[in-house]
Amino acid sequence: MAEFVSRISVVCFAASYLVALLCEISRLLFRSGIRGAVMIGFAAAGLIAHTLFLVWRAANEPAVPLSSAYDWYLLAAWLLAGGSLWLTVANPRTPIGLFMLPMVLGLIGAAQVSSRSPFPQSPATQVWGAIHGSFNLAASVAVAFGAIAGMMWLIQAGRLARKQAPIQGFRMPSLEKLARFTGRSLDIAAWAAAAGFVSGLVLNAVNRRQGLLETIPWTDPVVLRMGLVVAWLLAAAILVRTTARRAEGPRTAAMLSLVSLGVLTLSILWGLFGPTRHGVPPRAVVVESHS
Amino acid sequence: MTLAFVGGSHHTVPMALRERLAFSADQAAEALRRFRERFPGREAVLLSTCNRVEFYAAGEHDAVPPATGQIVDFLAECRGIDAAILKPVLAGESDDAVARHLFSVASGLDSMVLGEPQIVAQVKQAWSLAQENNTAGPLTSEMFQAALRTAKRVTSETAIGRERLSIPSIAVADFARGVFERFDDKRVLLIGAGKMAGETLRYLREAGARDVVIVNRSAARAEDLAGRLGVRAARFSDLADELTRADLVVSTTGATEPVVTPELYCGIESRRGGRPLVVLDLAMPRDFDPRIGSRPGVWLYSIDDLGAACNANRKARQRELPAAVAIIEEETRRFMGDLHHRSSAPVIEQLRAGWTETGDVELERLFRRLPTLDDAARREIRQAFERYAAKLIHRPLASLRSESHSGPPHGLLDALRRLFDLKD
């Protein structure tokens, strides 16, 4: 069993998700009685392989979830894949996977080009590091869910405005449900991102007090971009709340959720390819203590 | 001939005559009992709906089903109608055409509304009635089971019955449900009392709507309608207030000018608190000025908009027709193949019995010559003989089954009888 699990690679679950996505796309082209079962089968197989892969890494390598950028992206992809499967089973006539699986594959792709080096840890900073990573993860996943709901809202509203009957196999949830989901996702994303940012500051302060950092890196590009993302998400959440009792409110929320995903994507790309000291061991002592 | 059919539907029989020809459940049961007495040994199923009356008969060997003329006379006698009136409008079919027709009927392909699903239940009821009255037998049971299987395949493998075709059902299921997740917390406002109001309200209630208010220019008529529909009545002068509180409006007045103008709507818009408003304007001419549809949060659908969606759905059903016909053809071929294969059963049985008998005689002879064989060895030898016989008979059986797809395999059966000296 252990040997079998050790042979699971990223390609295994990425390929399963890709087949599930192709099944979703084929909904638009032709009807099939067994497609739903095939799609759920591949998505479930991918999720099981993905879970086993993460568990194996946590058990056999110094790579518990969130311990490196690589693991962080894979965990975010796992959460989205799980959400996608759950929503697909609960709403079989809605093409949830068509929206969520590309994000899952995108995050797996981001993991492949991100650093696998563990974030610096010491007993004192481990807790704050986990809190910081968890809040950022929650914020990112909430932004993704919100953007998908927002995109669906715009598609559904476009269909209703054009006065067209729903396309076979492409039935969207109601505007009421989507608007509620979008608003809540943006709320969660804003508060989680703010908590993630604050916990990051605390983490830096702890590092400094322990002599692991000379100064808090306020001007580090990652700190700046995270600050911008938090500011944007808070502003978006406030805007959604203030327009909630206006007729344009749901459309505004849908647009803001999509822009939030764009802001987050840019931030991730910046993190992947831009200069940063984020996650780099501040001093040799930390590396030693970790190793 | 093994299967026979006589019947007429909305395609050929005028409504007045259909009404006279239609059978109630009791009348159908009585007709089946009478058929059993008059044509013993034959099977029969009577399908009577508001759009069709069809009589299916079946029989084999010395109990072949009655001829078309006899069935027409029988139906005429049962309903007290001159047979001469029925003969020009009732059609008769035999064998594979009967199966093909029944499969089309059960799949909704012969219905007034293409793909309508209620007919499956009616076909099932007709078959149950025949079973209760002992006129269903192996042939009709096999045919009706195949018909229900075909209908299921058509439903699951094509989209022929999936799209809605009535304006109220489309209005609620495809548009109102696209905006609202639930209706039990929504206020529904009926303006006027056109004929589509009641049906739309029925769909809304099925969707969960509870809070319904009706306004009409005539307060007395509003009260009367409210009583009949089980809703609350409000004064027409309160229309603006009711519009403010409403989430969904169904408007069906006979007014010649818009009842709700942009000025009226803009006057209440700010008081609605941004809640979306779905308007199903089923009146002709329209009750809502179309400019209201461009206001934020308003989803306005006129009868023309909904009619266009209806037509699109109708066309979508038509596009599925070739796929449904292909399924019916496939199932008809399969059913007729099985039916023809049944006719070879006595010959196969005789063949098998003859070989078994010869095998048993030879085995007994062998065991007498080899008395030292123990029980296990005897069992092994007996099984080897049985396997050998089964393998020998397999090829003739496969040839018979293959030949059955293109009709009764008379030639092969005759050859087998002559080759193996089998009796008829």
Side-chain angles (χ1 to χ4, degrees):
Chain A
M1 181 65 183
E3 194 192 335
F4 169 74
V5 175
S6 70
R7 284 209 301 268
I8 293 173
S9 69
V10 171
V11 176
C12 296
F13 53 86
S16 295
Y17 295 144
L18 186 62
V19 174
L21 176 61
L22 292 174
C23 287
E24 280 282 28
I25 292 169
S26 72
R27 274 185 198 239
L28 302 170
L29 307 175
F30 59 89
R31 284 174 47 75
S32 165
I34 58 160
R35 177 183 28 230
V38 172
M39 189 181 69
I40 288 174
F42 271 98
L47 189 64
I48 290 167
H50 197 157
T51 309
L52 292 173
F53 181 83
L54 291 177
V55 169
W56 178 260
R57 271 184 70 76
N60 295 280
E61 297 184 33
V64 289
L66 305 176
S67 64
S68 69
Y70 176 76
D71 290 288
W72 189 95
Y73 285 121
L74 286 184
L75 190 61
W78 180 79
L79 287 172
L80 282 181
S84 172
L85 182 61
W86 178 60
L87 290 170
T88 301
V89 171
N91 309 278
R93 295 177 73 188
T94 307
I96 304 278
L98 196 60
F99 300 91
M100 292 191 75
L101 290 173
M103 287 196 193
V104 172
L105 291 170
L107 284 167
I108 292 171
Q112 298 312 300
V113 295
S114 64
S115 167
R116 299 187 187 207
S117 307
F119 295 132
Q121 288 178 3
S122 68
T125 60
Q126 201 167 15
V127 174
W128 282 107
I131 292 171
H132 172 61
S134 301
F135 275 122
N136 283 348
L137 183 70
S140 304
V141 171
V143 166
F145 274 111
I148 288 162
M151 203 184 304
M152 284 183 166
W153 191 97
L154 291 170
I155 291 170
Q156 177 77 308
R159 196 268 293 174
L160 290 167
R162 286 192 302 276
K163 303 171 192 242
Q164 290 172 338
I167 298 169
Q168 188 63 47
F170 204 74
R171 195 168 275 274
M172 294 283 157
S174 67
L175 295 181
E176 186 180 20
K177 188 176 186 177
L178 291 169
R180 197 169 54 235
F181 200 84
T182 309
R184 282 184 189 164
S185 296
L186 270 179
D187 268 351
I188 292 169
W191 290 113
F197 189 73
V198 171
S199 56
L201 295 180
V202 173
L203 177 64
N204 277 321
V206 171
N207 276 334
R208 188 162 174 263
R209 200 167 56 210
Q210 294 199 337
L212 303 177
L213 279 176
E214 286 171 2
T215 55
I216 295 176
W218 293 108
T219 55
D220 185 283
V222 169
V223 178
L224 289 175
R225 75 178 163 88
M226 281 310 296
L228 285 174
V229 169
V230 171
W232 165 262
L233 288 175
L234 284 172
I238 291 166
L239 200 56
V240 167
R241 279 185 176 253
T242 52
T243 58
R245 286 183 59 77
R246 291 189 202 153
E248 306 88 344
R251 184 175 296 278
T252 307
M255 301 297 286
L256 286 173
S257 68
L258 284 178
V259 177
S260 299
L261 181 67
V263 169
L264 185 69
T265 306
L266 283 176
S267 163
I268 286 173
L269 290 173
W270 190 359
L272 286 174
F273 303 112
T276 179
R277 279 169 49 223
H278 183 257
V280 175
R283 283 187 179 173
V285 66
V286 177
V287 179
E288 282 163 13
S289 71
H290 188 77
S291 60
Chain B
M1 182 172 68
T2 311
L3 303 170
F5 154 83
V6 168
S9 67
H10 57 279
H11 296 302
T12 54
V13 187
M15 188 188 277
L17 186 55
R18 275 205 320 271
E19 284 168 354
R20 287 176 62 196
L21 187 58
F23 288 78
S24 68
D26 289 342
Q27 288 166 339
E30 175 54 34
L32 290 173
R33 276 195 294 274
R34 206 186 289 186
F35 179 87
R36 199 179 59 212
E37 285 162 13
R38 188 167 307 171
F39 303 100
R42 278 79 167 178
E43 302 173 28
V45 178
L46 176 57
L47 172 66
S48 179
T49 71
C50 52
N51 282 330
R52 65 185 66 246
V53 171
E54 297 184 340
F55 197 89
Y56 294 87
E60 281 182 299
H61 311 306
D62 52 347
V64 292
T68 301
Q70 286 176 289
I71 299 177
V72 173
D73 289 342
F74 174 75
L75 290 174
E77 183 192 314
C78 286
R79 300 301 300 131
I81 303 171
D82 185 355
I85 299 173
L86 291 181
K87 273 178 183 152
V89 293
L90 294 187
E93 299 285 3
S94 63
D95 292 335
D96 58 337
V98 178
R100 190 175 291 111
H101 176 78
L102 176 63
F103 296 175
S104 295
V105 168
S107 306
L109 266 58
D110 197 53
S111 298
M112 196 176 268
V113 176
L114 182 65
E116 61 102 357
Q118 289 88 347
I119 188 70
V120 185
Q122 290 165 332
V123 168
K124 238 184 241 178
Q125 278 167 8
W127 180 32
S128 297
L129 192 69
Q131 285 174 316
E132 285 164 20
N133 290 280
N134 301 318
T135 58
L139 290 169
T140 44
S141 293
E142 214 167 294
M143 183 166 69
F144 274 75
Q145 275 171 357
L148 298 175
R149 185 178 63 231
T150 307
K152 197 173 175 185
R153 274 193 67 194
V154 168
T155 305
S156 63
E157 294 175 30
T158 74
I160 204 150
R162 207 152 292 184
E163 311 290 353
R164 292 170 186 84
L165 292 182
S166 80
I167 283 181
S169 68
I170 285 178
V172 174
D174 289 348
F175 292 103
R177 269 195 177 280
V179 177
F180 297 126
E181 183 62 18
R182 49 193 288 193
F183 290 84
D184 57 350
D185 59 348
K186 305 290 183 302
R187 166 75 69 94
V188 176
L189 173 63
L190 299 180
I191 306 177
K195 60 182 176 185
M196 269 197 262
E199 197 183 344
T200 311
L201 184 60
R202 184 167 64 80
Y203 282 107
L204 284 169
R205 280 194 165 138
E206 279 173 14
R210 299 283 171 271
D211 188 5
V212 184
V213 180
I214 184 166
V215 294
N216 199 312
R217 281 191 196 279
S218 156
R221 185 148 163 69
E223 289 289 347
D224 174 49
L225 271 169
R228 278 197 282 129
L229 297 174
V231 301
R232 219 156 33 78
R235 287 177 301 176
F236 196 79
S237 55
D238 293 338
L239 179 62
D241 289 338
E242 292 299 339
L243 265 179
T244 307
R245 285 191 282 269
D247 298 294
L248 193 147
V249 179
V250 180
S251 194
T252 58
T253 76
T256 52
E257 294 292 325
V259 175
V260 182
T261 60
E263 293 73 30
L264 172 62
Y265 184 75
C266 288
I268 61 147
E269 192 174 30
S270 60
R271 287 192 274 146
R272 290 185 48 78
R275 284 177 300 121
L277 177 68
V278 174
V279 181
L280 306 175
D281 187 351
L282 307 181
M284 185 56 71
R286 289 176 287 190
D287 284 339
F288 276 68
D289 189 301
R291 284 173 291 178
I292 295 170
S294 59
R295 299 301 307 164
V298 176
W299 306 95
L300 171 60
Y301 300 100
S302 70
I303 199 151
D304 278 359
D305 301 329
L306 299 169
C310 255
N311 285 336
N313 285 357
R314 196 164 282 125
K315 281 179 189 160
R317 283 194 180 198
Q318 288 289 346
R319 279 198 298 274
E320 294 291 316
L321 196 53
V325 169
I327 291 171
I328 284 166
E329 280 305 317
E330 189 189 321
E331 289 291 338
T332 304
R333 272 197 305 277
R334 184 174 155 191
F335 169 73
M336 291 309 294
D338 289 347
L339 192 65
H340 293 145
H341 193 59
R342 284 167 57 97
S343 62
S344 46
V347 172
I348 294 164
E349 208 44 56
Q350 280 189 55
L351 197 59
R352 193 173 272 144
W355 288 3
T356 307
E357 193 184 328
T358 310
D360 287 346
V361 170
E362 286 302 314
L363 274 173
E364 286 307 314
R365 201 167 138 258
L366 181 68
F367 293 158
R368 274 201 304 274
R369 287 189 170 203
L370 302 169
T372 54
L373 287 176
D374 60 13
D375 284 349
R378 284 173 184 236
R379 200 162 46 243
E380 277 297 321
I381 292 169
R382 191 176 289 281
Q383 282 171 358
F385 260 67
E386 284 167 0
R387 277 199 300 275
Y388 180 62
K391 280 180 182 171
L392 277 181
I393 208 166
H394 173 73
R395 282 201 175 278
L397 282 184
S399 301
L400 277 171
R401 182 165 286 282
S402 162
E403 192 74 4
S404 297
H405 289 301
S406 50
H410 293 309
L412 275 181
L413 288 174
D414 197 41
L416 282 172
R417 280 193 201 99
R418 289 172 63 187
L419 284 170
F420 293 98
D421 193 23
L422 306 174
K423 305 278 181 295
D424 272 339

Coordinates of all heavy atoms in Angstrom, one line a residue, chain A residues 224-267:
Chain A
L224 N 4.0 44.2 0.4 CA 3.2 45.3 -0.2 C 2.0 44.8 -1.0 O 0.9 45.3 -0.9 CB 4.1 46.1 -1.2 CG 5.2 46.9 -0.5 CD1 6.1 47.5 -1.6 CD2 4.6 48.1 0.3
R225 N 2.3 43.7 -1.8 CA 1.1 43.2 -2.6 C 0.1 42.6 -1.7 O -1.1 42.7 -1.9 CB 1.6 42.1 -3.6 CG 2.0 40.8 -3.1 CD 2.4 39.9 -4.2 NE 3.2 38.7 -3.7 CZ 2.6 37.6 -3.3 NH1 1.3 37.4 -3.3 NH2 3.3 36.6 -2.8
M226 N 0.5 41.9 -0.6 CA -0.6 41.4 0.3 C -1.4 42.5 1.0 O -2.6 42.4 1.1 CB 0.1 40.5 1.4 CG 0.5 39.1 1.0 SD -0.9 38.2 0.2 CE -2.0 38.1 1.5
G227 N -0.6 43.6 1.3 CA -1.3 44.8 1.8 C -2.4 45.3 0.8 O -3.5 45.7 1.2
L228 N -2.0 45.4 -0.5 CA -2.9 45.8 -1.5 C -4.1 44.9 -1.7 O -5.2 45.3 -1.8 CB -2.1 45.9 -2.9 CG -1.2 47.1 -3.0 CD1 -0.4 47.0 -4.3 CD2 -2.0 48.4 -3.0
V229 N -3.8 43.6 -1.6 CA -4.9 42.6 -1.8 C -5.9 42.8 -0.6 O -7.1 42.8 -0.8 CB -4.3 41.2 -1.8 CG1 -5.5 40.2 -1.7 CG2 -3.6 40.9 -3.1
V230 N -5.3 42.9 0.6 CA -6.2 43.1 1.8 C -7.0 44.3 1.6 O -8.3 44.3 1.9 CB -5.4 43.1 3.1 CG1 -6.3 43.5 4.3 CG2 -4.7 41.7 3.3
A231 N -6.4 45.4 1.2 CA -7.1 46.7 1.1 C -8.2 46.6 0.1 O -9.3 47.1 0.3 CB -6.1 47.8 0.7
W232 N -7.9 45.9 -1.1 CA -8.9 45.8 -2.1 C -10.1 44.9 -1.6 O -11.2 45.3 -1.8 CB -8.2 45.1 -3.3 CG -9.3 44.6 -4.3 CD1 -9.8 43.3 -4.4 CD2 -10.1 45.4 -5.1 NE1 -10.8 43.3 -5.3 CE2 -11.1 44.5 -5.8 CE3 -10.1 46.8 -5.5 CZ2 -12.0 45.0 -6.7 CZ3 -11.1 47.2 -6.4 CH2 -12.0 46.4 -7.0
L233 N -9.8 43.8 -1.0 CA -10.8 42.9 -0.5 C -11.7 43.6 0.5 O -13.0 43.4 0.5 CB -10.3 41.6 0.0 CG -9.7 40.7 -1.0 CD1 -9.0 39.4 -0.3 CD2 -10.7 40.2 -2.0
L234 N -11.1 44.3 1.4 CA -11.9 45.1 2.4 C -12.8 46.1 1.7 O -14.0 46.2 2.1 CB -11.0 45.7 3.5 CG -10.4 44.8 4.5 CD1 -9.4 45.5 5.4 CD2 -11.5 44.2 5.4
A235 N -12.2 46.8 0.8 CA -13.0 47.9 0.1 C -14.1 47.2 -0.7 O -15.3 47.7 -0.7 CB -12.1 48.6 -0.9
A236 N -13.8 46.1 -1.3 CA -14.9 45.4 -2.1 C -16.0 44.9 -1.2 O -17.2 45.1 -1.5 CB -14.2 44.2 -2.9
A237 N -15.6 44.3 -0.1 CA -16.7 43.8 0.9 C -17.5 44.9 1.4 O -18.8 44.8 1.5 CB -16.0 43.1 2.0
I238 N -16.9 46.1 1.7 CA -17.7 47.2 2.2 C -18.6 47.7 1.1 O -19.8 48.0 1.3 CB -16.7 48.3 2.7 CG1 -16.0 47.9 3.9 CG2 -17.5 49.6 2.9 CD1 -14.8 48.7 4.3
L239 N -18.1 47.8 -0.2 CA -18.9 48.3 -1.3 C -20.1 47.4 -1.5 O -21.2 47.8 -1.8 CB -18.0 48.3 -2.6 CG -18.5 49.2 -3.7 CD1 -18.7 50.7 -3.2 CD2 -17.5 49.2 -4.8
V240 N -19.9 46.0 -1.4 CA -21.0 45.1 -1.6 C -22.0 45.3 -0.6 O -23.2 45.3 -0.8 CB -20.4 43.6 -1.6 CG1 -21.6 42.6 -1.5 CG2 -19.6 43.4 -2.8
R241 N -21.6 45.5 0.7 CA -22.5 45.7 1.8 C -23.3 47.0 1.6 O -24.6 47.1 1.8 CB -21.8 45.8 3.1 CG -21.5 44.4 3.6 CD -21.0 44.4 5.0 NE -20.8 43.0 5.4 CZ -21.6 42.4 6.3 NH1 -22.5 43.1 6.9 NH2 -21.4 41.2 6.7
T242 N -22.6 48.1 1.1 CA -23.4 49.4 0.9 C -24.3 49.3 -0.2 O -25.3 50.1 -0.2 CB -22.4 50.5 0.8 OG1 -21.5 50.2 -0.3 CG2 -21.6 50.8 2.0
T243 N -24.1 48.5 -1.2 CA -25.0 48.4 -2.4 C -26.0 47.3 -2.3 O -26.8 47.1 -3.2 CB -24.2 48.3 -3.7 OG1 -23.4 47.1 -3.6 CG2 -23.3 49.4 -4.0
A244 N -26.0 46.6 -1.1 CA -26.8 45.4 -1.0 C -28.3 45.7 -1.1 O -29.1 44.9 -1.6 CB -26.5 44.7 0.3
R245 N -28.7 46.9 -0.7 CA -30.1 47.2 -0.8 C -30.5 48.1 -2.0 O -31.5 48.8 -2.0 CB -30.5 47.9 0.5 CG -30.6 47.0 1.7 CD -31.1 47.6 3.0 NE -32.4 48.2 2.8 CZ -33.6 47.6 2.9 NH1 -33.6 46.3 3.0 NH2 -34.7 48.2 2.8
R246 N -29.6 48.0 -3.0 CA -29.9 48.6 -4.3 C -30.1 47.6 -5.3 O -29.5 46.5 -5.2 CB -28.7 49.6 -4.7 CG -28.6 50.8 -3.8 CD -27.6 51.7 -4.3 NE -27.1 52.6 -3.3 CZ -25.9 53.2 -3.3 NH1 -25.1 53.0 -4.3 NH2 -25.6 54.0 -2.4
A247 N -30.8 47.9 -6.4 CA -31.1 47.0 -7.4 C -29.8 46.5 -8.1 O -29.8 45.4 -8.6 CB -32.1 47.5 -8.4
E248 N -28.8 47.4 -8.2 CA -27.6 47.1 -8.9 C -26.7 46.3 -8.0 O -25.6 45.9 -8.5 CB -26.8 48.4 -9.3 CG -27.6 49.4 -10.1 CD -28.4 50.4 -9.3 OE1 -28.5 50.1 -8.0 OE2 -28.8 51.4 -9.8
G249 N -27.0 46.1 -6.7 CA -26.1 45.4 -5.8 C -25.6 44.1 -6.2 O -24.3 43.9 -6.2
P250 N -26.4 43.2 -6.6 CA -25.9 41.8 -7.0 C -24.9 41.9 -8.2 O -23.9 41.2 -8.2 CB -27.2 41.1 -7.4 CG -28.3 41.7 -6.7 CD -27.9 43.2 -6.6
R251 N -25.2 42.8 -9.2 CA -24.3 42.9 -10.3 C -23.0 43.5 -9.9 O -21.9 43.0 -10.3 CB -24.9 43.8 -11.4 CG -24.1 43.9 -12.7 CD -24.8 44.7 -13.7 NE -26.0 44.0 -14.2 CZ -26.0 43.0 -15.1 NH1 -24.9 42.6 -15.7 NH2 -27.2 42.5 -15.5
T252 N -23.0 44.5 -9.0 CA -21.8 45.1 -8.5 C -21.0 44.0 -7.7 O -19.8 43.9 -7.9 CB -22.2 46.2 -7.5 OG1 -23.0 47.1 -8.1 CG2 -20.9 47.0 -7.0
A253 N -21.7 43.2 -6.9 CA -20.9 42.2 -6.2 C -20.3 41.2 -7.1 O -19.2 40.7 -6.9 CB -21.9 41.4 -5.2
A254 N -21.0 40.8 -8.2 CA -20.5 39.8 -9.2 C -19.2 40.4 -9.8 O -18.2 39.7 -10.0 CB -21.6 39.5 -10.2
M255 N -19.3 41.7 -10.2 CA -18.2 42.3 -10.9 C -17.0 42.4 -10.0 O -15.8 42.1 -10.3 CB -18.5 43.7 -11.4 CG -19.7 43.8 -12.4 SD -19.4 42.9 -13.9 CE -18.2 44.0 -14.7
L256 N -17.3 42.8 -8.7 CA -16.2 43.0 -7.7 C -15.5 41.6 -7.4 O -14.3 41.5 -7.2 CB -16.7 43.6 -6.4 CG -17.0 45.1 -6.5 CD1 -17.7 45.5 -5.2 CD2 -15.8 45.9 -6.8
S257 N -16.3 40.5 -7.4 CA -15.8 39.2 -7.1 C -14.8 38.8 -8.2 O -13.8 38.2 -8.0 CB -16.9 38.2 -6.9 OG -17.5 38.0 -8.1
L258 N -15.2 39.1 -9.5 CA -14.3 38.8 -10.6 C -13.0 39.6 -10.5 O -11.9 39.1 -10.8 CB -15.0 39.0 -11.9 CG -16.0 38.0 -12.3 CD1 -16.7 38.3 -13.6 CD2 -15.4 36.6 -12.4
V259 N -13.2 40.9 -10.2 CA -12.0 41.8 -10.1 C -11.1 41.3 -9.0 O -9.8 41.3 -9.1 CB -12.4 43.3 -9.9 CG1 -11.1 44.1 -9.8 CG2 -13.2 43.7 -11.1
S260 N -11.7 40.8 -7.9 CA -10.9 40.3 -6.8 C -10.1 39.1 -7.2 O -8.9 39.0 -6.8 CB -11.8 39.9 -5.6 OG -12.6 41.0 -5.2
L261 N -10.7 38.3 -8.0 CA -9.9 37.1 -8.5 C -8.7 37.6 -9.3 O -7.6 37.0 -9.2 CB -10.8 36.2 -9.3 CG -10.1 34.9 -9.8 CD1 -9.7 34.0 -8.7 CD2 -11.0 34.2 -10.8
G262 N -9.0 38.6 -10.2 CA -7.9 39.1 -11.0 C -6.8 39.7 -10.1 O -5.6 39.4 -10.4
V263 N -7.2 40.4 -9.1 CA -6.2 41.0 -8.2 C -5.4 39.9 -7.5 O -4.1 40.0 -7.4 CB -6.9 41.9 -7.1 CG1 -5.9 42.3 -6.0 CG2 -7.5 43.2 -7.8
L264 N -6.1 38.9 -7.0 CA -5.4 37.8 -6.4 C -4.5 37.0 -7.4 O -3.3 36.7 -7.0 CB -6.4 36.8 -5.8 CG -5.9 35.6 -5.0 CD1 -5.3 36.2 -3.7 CD2 -6.9 34.6 -4.7
T265 N -4.9 36.8 -8.6 CA -4.1 36.1 -9.6 C -2.8 36.9 -9.9 O -1.7 36.4 -9.9 CB -4.9 35.9 -10.9 OG1 -6.1 35.3 -10.6 CG2 -4.2 35.1 -11.9
L266 N -3.0 38.3 -10.0 CA -1.8 39.1 -10.3 C -0.8 39.0 -9.1 O 0.4 38.9 -9.3 CB -2.2 40.5 -10.5 CG -2.8 40.9 -11.9 CD1 -3.3 42.3 -11.9 CD2 -1.8 40.6 -13.0
S267 N -1.4 39.0 -7.9 CA -0.6 38.9 -6.7 C 0.2 37.6 -6.7 O 1.4 37.5 -6.3 CB -1.5 39.1 -5.5 OG -0.9 38.6 -4.4

